[in-house]
Amino acid sequence: MISDDLFKEALKVLPGGVSSPVRKFEPHPFFAKKGEGCILYDVDGNRYIDYCLAYGPLILGHAPEKITSAVCEQIKKGSAYGTPTKAELELAKLVIERVPSAEMIRFVNSGTEATMAAIRLARAFTGKDKILKFEGAYHGAHDYVLVKPGSGAAAAPDSPGIPQDTTRNTISAPFNDEEAVASIIEEDDNIAAILVEPVMANIGCIEPEDGYLKFLRKITSENGILLIFDEVITGFRIAPGGAQEYYNITADLVTYGKIIGGGFPMGALAGPRRLMEHISPAGDVYQAGTFNGNPVSVTAGITTLKELTDDLYKELNKKGEIIRKGIKDILEDNNLEFYLAGLSSMFQIYFTQEKVKDYTSAKTANLEIFKKYFHSLLKGGVFVPPSQFECCFISAAHRKEDLNMTLEVVEESIKRAVKQSPR
Ligand SMILES: *Cc1c(COP(=O)(O)O)cnc(C)c1O
């Protein structure tokens, strides 16, 4: 077990043995050797059909030839310039073509930076301080948004090290609950923005109920509050224009990450000119970054967006349906009433009988069953995120055979996990 030895060494030099907390699972994560299409290989000689896909970015799978060659060409010409490039202009136009609400875009390095910038801009524009977010939603790892966050650890306490003066300005409400949002807004006239993951994908996969996003759109417009869609996961995944297109809602500001960098680090903030021109140096809302608009990430992003045609989305959606239908049949055949969630090329099984519509219902899931399910999948050569509160993704590289093989392993794993767990 090479991973076992590597992890022991890693524990000495990396906090918890990993570079980001969700990657850790018991007894230890496998160390990746290489990725190819939908397959991830580890240093121990195992291969896995990958539904984690680096937590979302790899919509074309691992190391797609077109991205690899475009990026190699770019790297030969330099990896950072500190001056604008034609490529970032091209990527901006590709995003603007696909996203009707986007007239301008600021490229940053991660989803975290994108939501930070969106919040600052919203505060500056409205002259108000507070942000309303949803319980279980994840918007990155910065201070403003680490209040009842999702991302793997649904039951995690809020982090120490964040001044109360900061989080005093962050209010959280249950998702899919109109009353809760309405009463908060009624009592507080200092709310700059509602920040929402249109599909909550950091606590599994929770869709907005019919009309909910429309409600948020209406109540924000009526109260001088900006509506920020955090589309770091849904952007370029559920439709070319993301959740705005899928649910037919126009947000004021939209944040991107993950897919937009084509497998390389990148994030972005997009919106109408009237808002975006407040960002420095056009305006006075400061935002900056040494690697903003990095030519390597931008090249990967351009190549990815060009590959994401309508036909490709159709294919991805069809694969999603195959997996979800397959799991639904497995649950029915075995008389199990677990909650199956998902849309487009996203899915998750919650080991609960309750309908999962928010943080509270998500937390009714039986984590013991999930753990056994996860390890059984892994043994069978299927890798999903190691937490009940993450979402599984399908890529363009998954073939029908891969999906069918996956469903066999899923069936075996669910049965085993349930049998071994007290009900
Ligand atoms: C992953 C994620 C982020 C943070 O992006 P990073 O690139 O990891 O900083 C923000 N919002 C959502 C919805 C995410 O899924």
Side-chain angles (χ1 to χ4, degrees):
M1 282 298 280
I2 304 166
S3 286
D4 192 19
D5 294 336
L6 288 175
F7 190 64
K8 280 184 194 127
E9 279 184 57
L11 281 171
K12 295 180 198 156
V13 291
L14 305 171
V18 291
S19 294
S20 194
V22 72
R23 296 178 196 170
K24 186 176 180 198
F25 60 81
E26 298 298 329
H28 59 76
F30 62 83
F31 279 62
K33 184 178 178 193
K34 68 167 181 173
E36 209 171 63
C38 70
I39 305 295
L40 187 53
Y41 297 86
D42 71 11
V43 294
D44 308 303
N46 302 304
R47 75 196 283 283
Y48 308 95
I49 306 175
D50 187 5
Y51 295 89
C52 180
L53 296 169
Y55 294 89
L58 308 180
I59 194 164
L60 302 177
H62 292 274
E65 168 54 32
K66 284 204 173 124
I67 293 187
T68 309
S69 54
V71 161
C72 287
E73 280 312 301
Q74 174 55 47
I75 287 177
K76 286 184 212 154
K77 295 187 271 182
S79 64
Y81 304 123
T83 189
T85 63
K86 218 168 115 187
E88 62 195 323
L89 186 57
E90 185 180 353
L91 183 57
K93 286 181 178 167
L94 286 173
V95 173
I96 289 163
E97 257 170 40
R98 283 161 177 73
V99 180
S101 76
E103 291 172 354
M104 299 183 105
I105 185 163
R106 167 59 57 93
F107 294 116
V108 295
N109 300 292
S110 66
T112 296
E113 290 179 32
T115 64
M116 269 175 74
I119 289 171
R120 182 175 298 155
L121 176 54
R123 286 174 167 161
F125 182 78
T126 59
K128 299 190 271 186
D129 288 333
K130 293 189 186 169
I131 298 297
L132 176 59
K133 73 177 283 288
F134 294 93
E135 296 169 358
Y138 182 69
H139 302 290
H142 62 85
D143 286 4
Y144 305 148
V145 290
L146 283 182
V147 175
K148 296 209 176 165
S151 191
D158 299 347
S159 174
I162 299 174
Q164 277 177 4
D165 272 353
T166 304
T167 49
R168 195 164 44 86
N169 287 317
T170 307
I171 308 167
S172 55
F175 193 56
N176 277 327
D177 183 339
E178 299 191 5
E179 286 285 291
V181 168
S183 75
I184 289 168
I185 288 177
E186 192 163 319
E187 277 165 35
D188 199 329
D189 58 5
N190 194 22
I191 299 173
I194 291 187
L195 175 60
V196 61
E197 284 182 79
V199 176
M200 291 228 288
N202 287 282
I203 184 159
C205 185
I206 305 179
E207 280 189 78
E209 286 174 352
D210 276 355
Y212 190 65
L213 297 176
K214 262 199 186 77
F215 158 77
L216 293 181
R217 175 65 282 178
K218 185 157 182 283
I219 199 164
T220 47
S221 299
E222 288 171 354
N223 289 277
I225 296 169
L226 295 188
L227 180 62
I228 307 172
F229 270 13
D230 182 351
E231 296 224 44
V232 170
I233 283 188
T234 51
F236 312 109
R237 164 130 339 243
I238 63 177
Q244 290 193 95
E245 177 181 333
Y246 191 93
Y247 294 108
N248 191 23
I249 303 281
T250 304
D252 295 305
L253 291 170
V254 187
T255 55
Y256 295 104
K258 301 197 168 114
I259 289 172
I260 199 176
F264 289 78
M266 185 151 69
L269 169 63
R273 180 181 309 276
R274 72 184 166 92
L275 295 176
M276 295 298 290
E277 276 195 336
H278 289 278
I279 294 178
S280 54
D284 53 5
V285 179
Y286 195 67
Q287 199 294 320
T290 302
F291 287 105
N292 280 5
N294 176 261
V296 180
S297 300
V298 163
T299 299
I302 291 171
T303 315
T304 301
L305 290 199
K306 284 186 174 164
E307 288 294 299
L308 292 173
T309 57
D310 288 347
D311 282 348
L312 197 87
Y313 282 108
K314 271 189 205 132
E315 217 179 282
L316 280 164
N317 294 347
K318 204 180 320 162
K319 290 175 190 176
E321 276 159 29
I322 291 173
I323 281 284
R324 287 188 298 271
K325 168 84 170 52
I327 296 174
K328 191 163 165 269
D329 290 347
I330 291 167
L331 294 176
E332 271 171 22
D333 292 349
N334 293 282
N335 279 321
L336 297 166
E337 282 170 21
F338 297 134
Y339 188 75
L340 174 66
L343 72 161
S344 181
S345 50
M346 301 162 64
F347 67 97
Q348 181 60 297
I349 312 170
Y350 288 93
F351 292 101
T352 175
Q353 261 101 345
E354 284 198 32
K355 177 180 187 326
V356 176
K357 61 180 184 73
D358 58 13
Y359 182 73
T360 307
S361 45
K363 281 205 300 181
T364 62
N366 184 325
L367 302 187
E368 279 308 306
I369 299 183
F370 181 86
K371 205 196 279 178
K372 294 195 169 99
Y373 166 72
F374 167 76
H375 282 285
S376 175
L377 287 180
L378 209 56
K379 229 183 204 159
V382 172
F383 180 48
V384 299
S387 163
Q388 169 74 85
F389 304 114
E390 294 284 349
C391 184
C392 303
F393 300 102
I394 302 168
S395 77
H398 287 76
R399 300 160 309 166
K400 213 155 177 206
E401 305 92 276
D402 302 309
L403 302 178
N404 289 336
M405 199 187 299
T406 300
L407 287 169
E408 282 173 32
V409 182
V410 165
E411 173 150 33
E412 215 178 273
S413 299
I414 291 180
K415 282 197 212 161
R416 184 173 306 155
V418 169
K419 198 155 42 166
Q420 291 174 354
S421 302
R423 291 279 222 69

